């Protein structure tokens, strides 16, 4: 077995690696999957992470990805995926009965798999929202800049037409004066 360590999975690597700082030594970068392949990729990632964790090759797993806050603000966040962050409730009302048909190990593996896959999927779609918001802002800024250029071009066009008309009027006046002088 390999050494016990930590796994940091970074979707969109550069900002995620900077966020981890000194912990970035054991980062595995996963490129953002296409939307149509996201389910398969994230399910496979979940299975690989759980296999490594269950073999005691990993001590913990963090997922680093963009997080959509608003249209104008996105952050890169780090989320603990494994060990599963759970909070035990201190007081349970009355006796609780737990009925498990398959083995406890299989139930825990299935729940852990669902947890990791859900965490990855949530981070993926948050990252996609952040990317779409950034693109929308870029498009809005581009539209604004194009509007400014359009107004400037219209102004320049008006000036050029005005200058031509002005020259034509002056030339016409000169020709009329010259013809009036010749006519005398």
């Amino acid at each position: 077995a390999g050494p016990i360590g930590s796994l940091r999975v970074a979707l969109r690597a550069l900002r995620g690696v900077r966020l981890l700082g000194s912990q970035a030594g054991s980062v595995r970068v996963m490129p953002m999957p296409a939307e149509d392949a996201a389910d398969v990729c994230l399910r496979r990632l979940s299975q690989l992470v759980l296999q490594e964790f269950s073999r005691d090759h990993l001590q913990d797993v963090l997922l680093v990805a963009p997080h959509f806050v608003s249209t104008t603000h996105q952050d890169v966040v780090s989320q603990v995926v494994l060990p599963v962050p759970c909070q035990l409730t201190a007081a349970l009302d009355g006796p609780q009965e737990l009925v498990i048909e398959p083995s406890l190990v299989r139930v825990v593996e299935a729940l852990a798999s669902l947890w990791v896959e859900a965490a990855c999927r949530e981070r993926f779609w948050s990252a996609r929202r952040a990317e779409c918001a950034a693109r929308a802002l870029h498009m809005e800024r581009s539209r604004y800049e194009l509007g400014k250029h359009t107004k400037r071009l219209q102004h320049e066009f008006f000036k050029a037409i005005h200058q031509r008309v002005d020259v034509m009027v002056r030339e016409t006046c000169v020709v009329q004066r010259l013809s009036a002088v010749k006519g005398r």
Side-chain angles (χ1 to χ4, degrees):
I4 295 178
S6 298
L7 173 64
R8 312 299 190 245
V9 178
L11 300 175
R12 299 285 164 116
L14 296 177
R15 288 181 66 194
V17 171
R18 277 189 295 219
L19 176 73
L20 290 172
S22 63
Q23 299 175 345
S26 59
V27 172
R28 293 189 194 165
V29 177
M30 176 186 166
M32 189 70 75
E35 288 183 19
D36 56 344
D39 288 339
V40 174
C41 289
L42 296 176
R43 191 170 297 121
R44 182 71 183 132
L45 174 65
S46 171
Q47 292 169 351
L48 291 172
V49 165
L50 282 172
Q51 286 173 0
E52 293 294 313
F53 190 78
S54 65
R55 292 180 187 151
D56 290 331
H57 292 190
L58 299 173
Q59 197 172 7
D60 62 349
V61 177
L62 285 144
L63 180 63
V64 181
H67 175 68
F68 176 84
V69 177
S70 71
T71 306
T72 58
H73 183 73
Q74 295 85 35
D75 284 333
V76 176
V77 295
S78 173
Q79 176 183 2
V80 176
V81 177
L82 289 174
V84 176
C86 60
Q87 300 166 342
L88 298 174
T89 55
L92 297 174
D93 298 338
Q96 298 293 320
E97 204 173 302
L98 181 63
V99 177
I100 300 176
E101 290 185 16
S103 70
L104 182 59
V105 172
R106 288 181 62 199
V107 169
V108 169
E109 285 176 358
L111 288 175
S113 176
L114 289 173
W115 162 254
V116 172
E117 191 175 335
C120 290
R121 188 167 282 135
E122 193 270 328
R123 281 290 133 234
F124 171 76
W125 287 110
S126 181
R128 293 294 292 157
R129 279 194 315 263
E131 181 181 337
C132 289
R135 286 182 181 188
L137 282 176
H138 177 72
M139 293 299 291
E140 184 65 28
R141 193 173 303 123
S142 297
R143 187 180 66 78
Y144 175 74
E145 289 295 320
L146 285 173
K148 283 184 4 182
H149 290 304
T150 300
K151 284 184 178 182
R152 187 175 49 81
L153 284 173
Q154 287 173 342
H155 179 71
E156 293 295 323
F157 177 73
F158 175 76
K159 279 177 34 180
I161 294 295
H162 183 71
Q163 287 173 351
R164 280 188 165 174
V165 168
D166 196 34
V167 168
M168 287 172 52
V169 167
R170 285 185 198 151
E171 288 174 351
T172 305
C173 288
V174 169
V175 168
Q176 284 177 350
R177 282 186 203 157
L178 288 175
S179 64
V181 169
K182 285 184 182 179
R184 285 188 207 168

